[in-house]
Amino acid sequence: MGNKKIVVALGGNALGSNLVEQMRSVTDAVKPIADLIEEGYEVVVSHGNGPQVGVIQDAMTLLSREYPEKHPHFPLSVCTAMSQGYIGYDIQNKLREELLDRGIHKDVTCVLTQVEVDPDDPAFQNPTKPIGPFLTREEAEAKKKLRNHVFIEDAGRGYRRVVASPKPISIIEIGTIRTLAESGHIVIAAGGGGIPVTRGENNHLKGSPAVIDKDLASELLAEELDADFLIILTAVENAAINYGKPDEQKLGDITAEEAKKYIEEGQFAPGSMRPKVEAAVKFAESRPERTALITLLEKARDGINGKTGTRIHA
Ligand code: ADP
Ligand code: MG
């Protein structure tokens, strides 16, 4: 028996909305991950890219508009690939430094990861995944006219662009990720839910105009790696029912059955908390001894020791 395996999913919203913020946030974000490595867990890290992929696409759109002949088009899948590098590079170096400072010598490596989606996934007809910065209603209206993008109001925090978010089917580089992790390296994989691709003729892959939810992709990664824990680190300490209302109630230890009942009641906002709870349920139900945890970034260690967070088990 090897060490217990954990997939830790870092929230894109906890990584800051520009490079300066990100470098600061990542310095703190890697500490709880280093704690888990120090405790002897085999850790694979995934991360979100919602705010970042939107910013990258905005930048690329400006470039295309300025130089239409030189830079005609940057597909969303390419923007996700860029975001894996932009975020992974930072996590990789900060985590390496944090481990070195603790006397732990391990390689930290980011694997550019593609994730297969179904081209006929109904999600392509119904965009739900918020990307980019939070906008005021006026800013959203102006962009809607200019670019034909779809916007929604996101959990009381402002308006955001939404794109299609198909379900992850398979992780193309899973063999590489598994080999590296089993050799004792720390791997960062499936960033931003993975680069969405569809399978074509001769098994060739083609980038797809979508952003896969990183919580669902992290769940798939955790199952495929045969992990014991899936830890989803985000901006709230607990998932809650009656969220934001006077009778809000934080959820602690709950069963997958209870979680499913709350999902059906519409207790979790789609595109933010709902995919986390769905991912947690799926993981908990995939094998009896598997547990998923949703908590605040800084509370990862307390969460895994059963002191806080929302824990979902079979
Ligand atoms: P991440 O970037 O970590 O994926 P998201 O913004 O996508 O974070 O999702 C976490 C957010 O979900 C919380 O910060 C909170 O604002 C929102 N949220 C929506 N519904 C709930 C709920 N029922 N309980 C807790 N948080 C919720
Ligand atoms: Mg999210």
Side-chain angles (χ1 to χ4, degrees), residues 5 42 44 111 173-187 224-225:
K5 284 183 220 166
E42 182 182 313
V44 173
V111 174
E173 289 79 13
I174 191 67
T176 312
I177 298 165
R178 190 181 290 127
T179 303
L180 288 170
E182 282 174 356
S183 313
H185 304 300
I186 308 300
V187 188
E224 298 265 310
L225 291 175

Side-chain angles (χ1 to χ4, degrees), residues 251-255 258 306 309-313:
L251 298 170
D253 228 62
I254 58 169
T255 64
E258 288 172 289
T310 300
R311 233 158 308 100
I312 300 178
H313 45 82

Side-chain angles (χ1 to χ4, degrees), residues 33-78:
I33 299 173
D35 289 344
L36 298 173
I37 296 167
E38 200 167 26
E39 285 195 23
Y41 291 105
E42 182 182 313
V43 176
V44 173
V45 182
S46 68
H47 60 82
N49 75 345
Q52 297 80 6
V53 75
V55 171
I56 292 170
Q57 200 178 42
D58 272 355
M60 293 303 136
T61 305
L62 285 179
L63 190 70
S64 306
R65 198 162 290 148
E66 193 74 13
Y67 304 102
E69 257 121 71
K70 222 169 152 191
H71 301 288
H73 183 48
F74 286 91
L76 203 48
S77 52
V78 173

Side-chain angles (χ1 to χ4, degrees), residues 10-14 51 129 134 154-155 157 160 214-215 233-236 238-243 267-269 271-274 276:
L10 282 178
N13 286 311
K129 168 78 188 164
F134 290 94
D154 187 4
R157 298 173 294 181
R160 288 178 88 186
K214 74 99 179 29
D215 301 307
L233 298 179
T234 186
V236 288
N238 297 75
I241 52 173
N242 305 320
Y243 179 68
Q267 293 285 358
F268 313 114
S272 61
M273 188 49 73
R274 194 169 86 190
K276 295 185 201 311

Side-chain angles (χ1 to χ4, degrees), residues 153 169 232:
E153 211 269 320
I169 300 174
I232 299 176

Side-chain angles (χ1 to χ4, degrees), residues 215-229:
D215 301 307
L216 297 178
S218 304
E219 192 282 330
L220 182 61
L221 182 64
E223 270 195 55
E224 298 265 310
L225 291 175
D226 199 19
D228 304 280
F229 299 100

